[in-house]
Amino acid sequence: MSDPSTNPVPIGEIVQGPSAFEQFLENNQKLIAVSAVAVALAIGGIMVYRTIQQDHAAEAGAALSAAKDIASLEKVKVDFADTPSSVTAGLTIADQLWSTGQQDEAIAALKEIIEKFPQHPACVVAQNTLGHRLMAQGKNVEAAVAFQAVLNRENERFLAPSAMIAIGDTYKKEGNLEKASELYKKVSAEFKDSPFANMAADRIKFLHFAAPTEIEPPPAPTPSTTPDQPTGAGLGTGTGNPLLDSLSSGSDEKKDAAPAPEPAPAPEQTTPPSQP
């Protein structure tokens, strides 16, 4: 048997040649090249798409700024339906319709925004506006439902105190003062640092206040004229004031009733004595 110290046994072999990674690169050069080109094209396409999208959004904003009437705003909605300007145009259309007395059309425009763009940030604004429009029409129950939808949007809490006060107002209009008071107090407790807290406090203060009943003012007195008394420049005329007219009439009657002064007797004429 040979001595291991003089005849060592190799424990491994050193591979003489390219590594496995180099072999992979060599065997897949074409695939790697094609993949690199595809990635470059994808990145370039994304950049181009974003540039086009930004240009399209800028064009939509310019068109929205130039739109002044409902027809031009409708065109913005159609031509730039995939941009935020479309929703803004819809809100503006709803406002213009309401201001021109087309209330039902304005409400329909708001509902369209809510249905088509539920995730858009302006949707909560449309929902809140819808509640106020319905309340203005006296549809308090429907308005309360619209405001409750605002409260249900947890990510847009900036309108929550306003919606609570509005729901309280609908309860007040319906005569449920207890429910209205609960909501006003909730706003004061949960939103102490909000300006709506003061508004809610004022609502509570005047919750049971009843406005005085308005009455019709008495008719204005009409000037009285005496048929037998002529009117005109230099003659007595009615002043329109009953007190002054009665005093003036009484003074005239006293003047008429006073006896006329008797004429003074004529001096006696004497004839001088005749001279002889």
mmCIF file of all heavy atoms in Angstrom, residues 225-243:
data_model
loop_
_atom_site.group_PDB
_atom_site.id
_atom_site.type_symbol
_atom_site.label_atom_id
_atom_site.label_comp_id
_atom_site.label_asym_id
_atom_site.label_seq_id
_atom_site.Cartn_x
_atom_site.Cartn_y
_atom_site.Cartn_z
ATOM 1 N N THR A 225 -110.987 114.532 0.475
ATOM 2 C CA THR A 225 -111.303 115.835 -0.116
ATOM 3 C C THR A 225 -112.777 116.145 0.110
ATOM 4 O O THR A 225 -113.625 115.250 0.081
ATOM 5 C CB THR A 225 -111.004 115.849 -1.613
ATOM 6 O OG1 THR A 225 -111.749 114.806 -2.223
ATOM 7 C CG2 THR A 225 -109.522 115.616 -1.872
ATOM 8 N N THR A 226 -113.110 117.384 0.371
ATOM 9 C CA THR A 226 -114.492 117.821 0.566
ATOM 10 C C THR A 226 -115.080 118.190 -0.779
ATOM 11 O O THR A 226 -114.494 119.009 -1.495
ATOM 12 C CB THR A 226 -114.540 119.028 1.512
ATOM 13 O OG1 THR A 226 -113.879 118.660 2.718
ATOM 14 C CG2 THR A 226 -115.983 119.437 1.806
ATOM 15 N N PRO A 227 -116.218 117.575 -1.187
ATOM 16 C CA PRO A 227 -116.739 117.848 -2.524
ATOM 17 C C PRO A 227 -117.059 119.310 -2.754
ATOM 18 O O PRO A 227 -116.876 119.824 -3.846
ATOM 19 C CB PRO A 227 -118.011 116.993 -2.586
ATOM 20 C CG PRO A 227 -117.817 115.942 -1.529
ATOM 21 C CD PRO A 227 -117.017 116.584 -0.471
ATOM 22 N N ASP A 228 -117.580 119.997 -1.703
ATOM 23 C CA ASP A 228 -118.007 121.381 -1.905
ATOM 24 C C ASP A 228 -116.852 122.344 -1.852
ATOM 25 O O ASP A 228 -117.025 123.535 -2.092
ATOM 26 C CB ASP A 228 -119.036 121.785 -0.832
ATOM 27 C CG ASP A 228 -120.290 120.930 -0.946
ATOM 28 O OD1 ASP A 228 -120.540 120.401 -2.052
ATOM 29 O OD2 ASP A 228 -120.984 120.774 0.082
ATOM 30 N N GLN A 229 -115.671 121.873 -1.457
ATOM 31 C CA GLN A 229 -114.535 122.775 -1.277
ATOM 32 C C GLN A 229 -113.630 122.676 -2.487
ATOM 33 O O GLN A 229 -113.082 121.616 -2.759
ATOM 34 C CB GLN A 229 -113.753 122.424 -0.012
ATOM 35 C CG GLN A 229 -112.631 123.419 0.270
ATOM 36 C CD GLN A 229 -111.937 123.097 1.568
ATOM 37 O OE1 GLN A 229 -112.295 122.135 2.209
ATOM 38 N NE2 GLN A 229 -110.967 123.899 1.942
ATOM 39 N N PRO A 230 -113.462 123.671 -3.271
ATOM 40 C CA PRO A 230 -112.595 123.607 -4.456
ATOM 41 C C PRO A 230 -111.152 123.491 -4.044
ATOM 42 O O PRO A 230 -110.751 123.945 -2.985
ATOM 43 C CB PRO A 230 -112.880 124.926 -5.179
ATOM 44 C CG PRO A 230 -113.311 125.871 -4.104
ATOM 45 C CD PRO A 230 -114.058 125.022 -3.102
ATOM 46 N N THR A 231 -110.395 122.850 -4.913
ATOM 47 C CA THR A 231 -108.965 122.701 -4.680
ATOM 48 C C THR A 231 -108.228 123.440 -5.760
ATOM 49 O O THR A 231 -108.696 123.577 -6.889
ATOM 50 C CB THR A 231 -108.557 121.236 -4.710
ATOM 51 O OG1 THR A 231 -108.915 120.698 -5.970
ATOM 52 C CG2 THR A 231 -109.253 120.444 -3.605
ATOM 53 N N GLY A 232 -107.028 123.854 -5.406
ATOM 54 C CA GLY A 232 -106.234 124.589 -6.389
ATOM 55 C C GLY A 232 -105.276 125.491 -5.681
ATOM 56 O O GLY A 232 -105.199 125.533 -4.461
ATOM 57 N N ALA A 233 -104.542 126.265 -6.440
ATOM 58 C CA ALA A 233 -103.540 127.158 -5.871
ATOM 59 C C ALA A 233 -104.231 128.231 -5.093
ATOM 60 O O ALA A 233 -105.193 128.851 -5.565
ATOM 61 C CB ALA A 233 -102.683 127.777 -6.981
ATOM 62 N N GLY A 234 -103.794 128.454 -3.903
ATOM 63 C CA GLY A 234 -104.329 129.512 -3.088
ATOM 64 C C GLY A 234 -105.542 129.105 -2.302
ATOM 65 O O GLY A 234 -106.081 129.910 -1.573
ATOM 66 N N LEU A 235 -106.062 127.856 -2.491
ATOM 67 C CA LEU A 235 -107.234 127.398 -1.761
ATOM 68 C C LEU A 235 -106.851 126.272 -0.842
ATOM 69 O O LEU A 235 -105.839 125.623 -1.045
ATOM 70 C CB LEU A 235 -108.312 126.944 -2.748
ATOM 71 C CG LEU A 235 -108.820 128.047 -3.714
ATOM 72 C CD1 LEU A 235 -109.813 127.457 -4.687
ATOM 73 C CD2 LEU A 235 -109.460 129.195 -2.948
ATOM 74 N N GLY A 236 -107.687 125.953 0.148
ATOM 75 C CA GLY A 236 -107.402 124.891 1.097
ATOM 76 C C GLY A 236 -107.426 123.524 0.423
ATOM 77 O O GLY A 236 -108.351 123.235 -0.340
ATOM 78 N N THR A 237 -106.458 122.724 0.671
ATOM 79 C CA THR A 237 -106.379 121.373 0.123
ATOM 80 C C THR A 237 -106.088 120.404 1.232
ATOM 81 O O THR A 237 -105.516 120.790 2.268
ATOM 82 C CB THR A 237 -105.274 121.267 -0.935
ATOM 83 O OG1 THR A 237 -104.038 121.642 -0.333
ATOM 84 C CG2 THR A 237 -105.561 122.172 -2.116
ATOM 85 N N GLY A 238 -106.456 119.103 1.036
ATOM 86 C CA GLY A 238 -106.172 118.071 2.017
ATOM 87 C C GLY A 238 -104.680 117.781 2.081
ATOM 88 O O GLY A 238 -103.996 117.760 1.058
ATOM 89 N N THR A 239 -104.151 117.535 3.292
ATOM 90 C CA THR A 239 -102.721 117.233 3.458
ATOM 91 C C THR A 239 -102.445 115.750 3.435
ATOM 92 O O THR A 239 -101.287 115.346 3.363
ATOM 93 C CB THR A 239 -102.214 117.820 4.787
ATOM 94 O OG1 THR A 239 -102.912 117.184 5.850
ATOM 95 C CG2 THR A 239 -102.434 119.324 4.834
ATOM 96 N N GLY A 240 -103.467 114.901 3.513
ATOM 97 C CA GLY A 240 -103.243 113.459 3.603
ATOM 98 C C GLY A 240 -103.135 112.986 5.032
ATOM 99 O O GLY A 240 -103.151 111.791 5.304
ATOM 100 N N ASN A 241 -103.004 113.891 5.991
ATOM 101 C CA ASN A 241 -102.938 113.572 7.412
ATOM 102 C C ASN A 241 -104.302 113.852 8.025
ATOM 103 O O ASN A 241 -104.744 115.016 8.065
ATOM 104 C CB ASN A 241 -101.855 114.401 8.099
ATOM 105 C CG ASN A 241 -101.587 113.933 9.521
ATOM 106 O OD1 ASN A 241 -102.510 113.664 10.276
ATOM 107 N ND2 ASN A 241 -100.304 113.844 9.864
ATOM 108 N N PRO A 242 -105.022 112.817 8.490
ATOM 109 C CA PRO A 242 -106.381 113.057 9.031
ATOM 110 C C PRO A 242 -106.413 114.061 10.160
ATOM 111 O O PRO A 242 -107.344 114.846 10.277
ATOM 112 C CB PRO A 242 -106.831 111.670 9.493
ATOM 113 C CG PRO A 242 -105.974 110.716 8.702
ATOM 114 C CD PRO A 242 -104.668 111.409 8.512
ATOM 115 N N LEU A 243 -105.403 114.053 11.051
ATOM 116 C CA LEU A 243 -105.407 114.961 12.200
ATOM 117 C C LEU A 243 -105.282 116.404 11.742
ATOM 118 O O LEU A 243 -106.056 117.277 12.156
ATOM 119 C CB LEU A 243 -104.271 114.585 13.153
ATOM 120 C CG LEU A 243 -104.117 115.472 14.393
ATOM 121 C CD1 LEU A 243 -105.403 115.419 15.225
ATOM 122 C CD2 LEU A 243 -102.932 115.035 15.225
#
